[in-house]
Amino acid sequence: ITLESFDRSRLQSGDQVWLEHRLERGEVDAHQLMLFTLRDLLLLAQTDYFVGHFASNLSRLAYLLASARAGPVPFASVDGPWCYHWRMCCQLSLSPPYSKVC
């Protein structure tokens, strides 16, 4: 499949594509989903440099596991600074001086 030949009309949007809804409808096997999630988590935790999305609990857990394994791991966040309080106390900004870390 190429980018040019990909049929974008097949993409779904909205709440119905969330895993929670797909699990309720029986479209996704819960056991398989758990195994794939654990596999991804353990692979992410083997990193020497973490690039992730710190608004995601899975990414946060993978980063913490990587740090527990090897000490503090250098990281780059694609969505903002690390925050122990899920950014409830941070000031986010896309312009200088950018975001303040908690």
Side-chain angles (χ1 to χ4, degrees), residues 22-70:
R22 295 177 63 202
L23 281 167
E24 287 174 2
R25 293 191 304 265
E27 297 174 4
V28 177
D29 179 76
H31 182 75
Q32 284 294 104
L33 177 61
M34 180 209 47
L35 292 176
F36 291 149
T37 302
L38 287 174
R39 180 199 60 196
D40 290 348
L41 178 63
L42 294 174
L43 286 171
L44 283 168
Q46 294 299 314
T47 188
D48 293 322
Y49 189 97
F50 188 82
V51 177
H53 183 322
F54 284 139
S56 161
N57 285 327
L58 187 71
S59 290
R60 293 163 65 96
L61 181 57
Y63 177 75
L64 290 173
L65 287 171
S67 294
R69 176 186 60 83

